[in-house]
């Protein structure tokens, strides 16, 4: 009996047979365990702007010179206890952000996005070596587009009717993580692994963009892999029993300081 079948039959009552219900689904995504990845730190990357006002003023200057700003961020997914977790950054023990940033005016979208991911997450120098260090980012589907209609903090998942010239568009991409990879974050940031159930309907803590991620990922089916590369659970279904998933600080920041909970408003 296969591992997948065993997991589906853990209950003393076998599941009911049902008709196939996978029409027009996108491809099934393989998720690898958090333990497959190596995490480190690198030099600080201070924020460019000392205040929200300064950030919006820089946006205004960018718009006047180059037009709408293009921002790319990545949804990096792994699993712990067969439940999807999102890798995200926490800055100043307060604000949560996905890896990525705005593109330079002259940059190609995908190549520029890869450069931003490397700035945030790639190891530097000889800090690490071996398989998984220099693997190129696999940029997947665009899962969401958020629009900033004016020079203000609010962004929307649509262009308001009165806005004909949005000032910024932020695209969220699905990033397919390989079986293993080395990730390093600036020392002034934390890298967190946040379970989907923690994000769901939690706008007060994470803001509207991050709390919408479970909705964005619901279009996919997942295969959950173990450290040896075997499929141990699939969607739908459950895997082996274990500890309840929870947000984990992977590296960076002052890990002894409790996190305050404010969503990203950038």
């Amino acid at each position: 009996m296969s591992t997948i079948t065993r997991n589906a039959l853990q209950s003393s009552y076998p599941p009911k047979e049902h008709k196939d219900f996978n029409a027009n689904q996108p491809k099934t995504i393989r998720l690898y365990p958090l333990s497959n990845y190596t995490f480190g730190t690198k030099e600080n990357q201070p924020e460019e702007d000392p205040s929200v006002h300064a950030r919006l003023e820089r946006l205004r200057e960018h718009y006047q010179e180059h037009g709408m700003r293009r921002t790319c961020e990545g949804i990096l997914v792994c699993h712990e206890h067969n439940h999807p977790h999102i890798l995200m950054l926490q800055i100043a023990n307060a604000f949560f952000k996905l890896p990525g940033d705005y593109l330079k005016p002259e940059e190609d979208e995908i190549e520029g996005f890869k450069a931003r991911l490397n700035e945030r997450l790639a190891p530097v120098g000889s800090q690490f070596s071996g398989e998984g260090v220099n693997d190129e980012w696999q940029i997947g589907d665009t899962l969401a587009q958020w629009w900033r209609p004016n020079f203000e903090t609010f962004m929307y998942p649509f262009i308001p009717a009165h806005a004909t010239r949005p000032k910024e568009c932020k695209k969220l991409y699905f990033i397919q993580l390989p079986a293993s990879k080395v990730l390093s974050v600036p020392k002034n940031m934390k890298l967190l692994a946040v379970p989907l159930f923690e994000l769901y309907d939690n706008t007060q803590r994470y803001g509207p963009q991050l709390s919408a991620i479970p909705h964005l990922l619901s279009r996919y089916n997942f295969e959950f892999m173990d450290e040896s590369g075997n499929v141990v659970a699939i969607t739908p279904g459950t895997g082996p029993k274990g500890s309840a998933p929870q947000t984990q600080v992977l590296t960076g920041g002052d890990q002894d300081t409790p996190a305050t909970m404010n969503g990203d408003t950038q």
Side-chain angles (χ1 to χ4, degrees):
M1 186 182 296
S2 69
T3 302
I4 298 176
T5 304
R6 287 199 304 272
N7 287 339
L9 299 177
Q10 281 185 350
S11 170
S12 59
Y13 298 96
K16 297 287 187 181
E17 294 294 331
H18 57 76
K19 291 284 188 180
D20 182 76
F21 199 55
N22 291 302
N24 294 346
Q25 291 283 133
K27 63 182 180 180
T28 296
I29 303 296
R30 285 193 165 183
L31 300 183
Y32 295 92
L34 189 59
S35 56
N36 273 26
Y37 303 101
T38 303
F39 303 99
T41 57
K42 54 189 176 184
E43 292 302 314
N44 288 357
Q45 291 181 4
E47 288 289 280
E48 292 184 79
D49 305 301
S51 65
V52 173
H53 176 75
R55 183 166 65 249
L56 295 178
E57 280 301 308
R58 183 162 54 86
L59 173 62
R60 186 185 299 273
E61 294 171 1
H62 181 284
Y63 182 81
Q64 291 173 350
E65 186 172 354
H66 304 290
M68 184 185 73
R69 185 163 71 180
R70 303 170 298 156
T71 298
C72 301
E73 294 183 348
I75 298 176
L76 285 67
V77 192
C78 58
H79 81 84
E80 181 80 347
H81 306 298
N82 301 331
H83 183 77
H85 283 57
I86 308 302
L87 300 185
M88 65 178 62
L89 300 166
Q90 188 180 33
I91 301 174
N93 207 43
F95 295 105
F96 299 94
K97 291 184 65 174
L98 294 171
D101 211 333
Y102 65 89
L103 304 179
K104 298 177 182 178
E106 70 278 4
E107 284 184 314
D108 170 78
E109 181 176 340
I110 298 301
E111 293 306 311
F113 181 32
K114 290 179 179 179
R116 299 294 87 73
L117 288 174
N118 283 330
E119 289 171 5
R120 283 289 194 245
L121 296 178
V124 295
S126 58
Q127 183 179 14
F128 296 104
S129 61
E131 183 179 357
V133 174
N134 297 313
D135 290 347
E136 186 168 298
W137 298 102
Q138 299 180 44
I139 310 299
D141 299 328
T142 298
L143 298 183
Q145 296 185 109
W146 288 81
W147 303 89
R148 192 187 305 274
N150 298 302
F151 299 110
E152 56 188 25
T153 58
F154 296 106
M155 299 189 77
Y156 303 88
F158 53 86
I159 302 178
H162 66 276
T164 58
R165 298 180 180 181
K167 307 307 184 282
E168 180 179 6
C169 179
K170 178 188 290 188
K171 296 178 71 171
L172 306 185
Y173 298 84
F174 183 87
I175 304 296
Q176 177 70 65
L177 285 173
S180 63
K181 195 173 182 66
V182 178
L183 302 172
S184 292
V185 298
K187 293 179 181 178
N188 59 316
M189 303 179 188
K190 291 180 182 178
L191 182 63
L192 309 177
V194 183
L196 285 191
F197 70 77
E198 171 70 19
L199 293 172
Y200 175 67
D201 201 27
N202 201 349
T203 56
Q204 183 177 3
R205 185 173 185 178
Y206 292 101
Q209 296 175 32
L210 300 182
S211 63
I213 290 175
H215 296 276
L216 303 178
L217 294 180
S218 67
R219 64 194 296 250
Y220 295 111
N221 286 327
F222 295 114
E223 291 181 341
F224 299 93
M225 315 297 290
D226 64 13
E227 294 180 350
S228 300
N230 301 310
V231 178
V232 294
I234 59 175
T235 305
T238 58
K241 294 181 179 179
S243 303
Q246 58 183 335
T247 298
Q248 298 185 49
V249 178
L250 304 175
T251 188
D254 181 1
Q255 298 187 25
D256 296 326
T257 302
T260 55
M261 303 305 173
N262 295 306
D264 177 23
T265 58
Q266 300 190 35

